[in-house]
Amino acid sequence: APATSGNSGLDTDRSEAIVEAVLDYADAMLRPGGTVVAKLFMGGGQKELLDRMRAGYEKARAFKPEACRTVSFETYLIGQGKRR
C-alpha cells in the first residue's frame, strides 16, 4: 500500500496503480495455478481491477478481513488459480 497523504483521491489512485503493477508482475512471473493478493484503497477503480483478475484467474474476489476497521476504505483483492 502507498504511504497515505490524507488526500483520499490521490491515495486511491496510487493504490490502484500499485495493484495494476502487482497484476502485471503476476501475469509475467506467477505460475499457472498460483495465487495473488493485493491490498487496495477503494475509490472507484476496484471493479476494473477485479474484472481483470476474473479474466486471468479461476476465482477472484474482494475480501475485507474482520480485523479491518469498518470505517477503513481498504480491501484485498484475491485471485486464485492463475490461468495459462
Side-chain angles (χ1 to χ4, degrees):
T4 55
S5 67
N7 178 328
S8 63
L10 178 62
D11 293 341
T12 56
D13 288 347
R14 287 179 178 171
S15 174
E16 289 171 11
I18 290 171
V19 172
E20 288 174 359
V22 166
L23 294 179
D24 289 343
Y25 185 79
D27 287 346
M29 303 302 289
L30 191 63
R31 292 181 182 171
T35 297
V36 64
V37 178
K39 180 178 177 178
L40 174 68
F41 294 155
M42 297 188 323
Q46 63 269 14
K47 182 186 179 321
E48 290 80 10
L49 291 168
L50 195 53
D51 287 345
R52 178 178 171 186
M53 290 181 82
R54 286 184 175 131
Y57 294 83
E58 295 296 324
K59 293 194 286 187
R61 65 187 177 111
F63 176 72
K64 185 167 184 149
E66 290 181 23
C68 288
R69 296 172 295 161
T70 55
V71 296
S72 174
F73 62 108
E74 68 186 21
T75 193
Y76 294 83
L77 300 181
I78 304 168
Q80 296 174 294
K82 181 182 179 223
R83 294 187 173 121
R84 295 187 182 269

